[in-house]
Amino acid sequence: MFRIAPGLASGFSILGFFLVLCGCGSGGGGSQPEDIGNQSPNIALIDFIDEKIHASENVGVQALAEDPDGDGLAYLWSTTRGTFPNGRSGPRVVWRTPELKGMDTLTVRVTDFQDTVFASVVSEMVLPDPPESLWSVAFSNQADVEWLPSIDEKIEHWQGYLVYAAEKSLAGIPEDQLAPYRITPAPITRRAIRFLDLEIGRKYFFHVRGVREYGSTFEQTPMGMEIDMSPRPEGNLSQFLEIASGAPVAFDISRGRVEVFDPANDDRKELRDLILDRSTNDRESPLILRSVSHLSEFDDEWLERPVVIKSLGFDWEISSTDIKTGWVSESTFEELEVFAIRTPDGHYGKFQVTNITGFAPRRIIWLRWAYQTIPDYPRF
């Protein structure tokens, strides 16, 4: 189906926090207000240095405690699972989380050597996060899929990324049914991959997951962002002359061609998209790209072909756009500016003005273009 071109962490969730106080030693006795005896220590908080907790990693944890009497305090930690590789004593310790995910309870015992109090926190170990963003750059028979790193890329046991691809959306597919769509046999450390031999007119779906591996555990991030694309024809053309040249031409993005036509008598209007005109009647006025619907002064039927465009900036690799806003029927332009185009039959594409030459009324532009053959699909 596809061929590929060769080529301490964050996070935890606290589910519960509670203090258990028990007193031993002096507790006061008698009714005199000045004889209050020893006051117990107070534990204000158990705090994890990182925001999330993952399985099989070292996690810094600390207890914030004070003694109203100013007595020295001793700390001793325990956990339902995991270990303390650097020891269990002190206000700050390192907790080595267990290899199996689940719920865990950390408890700290604090004493001023007369009274003793306890505090516990229940935490849940979570999976690492998938890549933060994913996108593709389309070509006529291939796609480059790229992504930003996971915020957890530097955690212990991180192996890299696995890439999944299919000709249908993978969202909602059960985990035990995803294996056939995995394209990378082993995790890759780079953040880009090229897919070859794709077919124009077919949609392809991609998503990427991060991977950790430790002991007998193979741990993947949850499914993150999914993208889809379809390869499309593309090319370059020249000799797009302004319409006042005496040999008026129109640009047809579906075929990537400019053709001479007669605005007052044309029977192939479905093959005309844009004309190159002046912004005013002044011969030297700036050039403007216009929908052929502006030719209605020659023939009312041109109104039935309302082509719209919108500027995308100057990056040719942009491959989609908002389908609702920003569309116009005419626009001035600059050299190397990129435009999206939508035809009346619902096809999308893009073009870039690569060169502008000549003098009025025979100014000429060169275009780089791409056209999506699937209707109502704004990927180009």
Side-chain angles (χ1 to χ4, degrees), residues 299-332:
D299 185 340
D300 289 343
E301 290 185 4
W302 287 114
L303 292 172
E304 299 175 9
R305 189 149 184 82
V307 178
V308 289
I309 60 176
K310 66 187 296 187
S311 176
L312 301 177
F314 295 86
D315 182 5
W316 173 253
E317 291 190 350
I318 190 168
S319 58
S320 64
T321 188
D322 178 6
I323 65 173
K324 294 182 179 180
T325 61
W327 298 97
V328 295
S329 64
E330 62 179 17
S331 178
T332 56

Side-chain angles (χ1 to χ4, degrees), residues 123-138:
S123 63
E124 179 183 20
M125 287 171 289
V126 298
L127 293 172
D129 284 339
E132 290 189 329
S133 183
L134 183 68
W135 67 94
S136 68
V137 178

Side-chain angles (χ1 to χ4, degrees), residues 37-91:
N38 183 68
Q39 298 185 71
S40 300
N42 297 316
I43 303 175
L45 180 68
I46 294 178
D47 183 33
F48 291 90
I49 294 174
D50 300 302
E51 295 179 357
K52 294 186 300 182
I53 296 174
H54 307 99
S56 190
E57 69 171 351
N58 289 336
V59 176
V61 59
Q62 63 182 355
L64 303 179
E66 63 178 8
D67 188 84
D69 303 317
D71 298 332
L73 299 176
Y75 300 76
L76 188 65
W77 295 82
S78 60
T79 179
T80 52
R81 300 194 299 160
T83 61
F84 298 96
N86 299 330
R88 299 193 298 136
S89 302

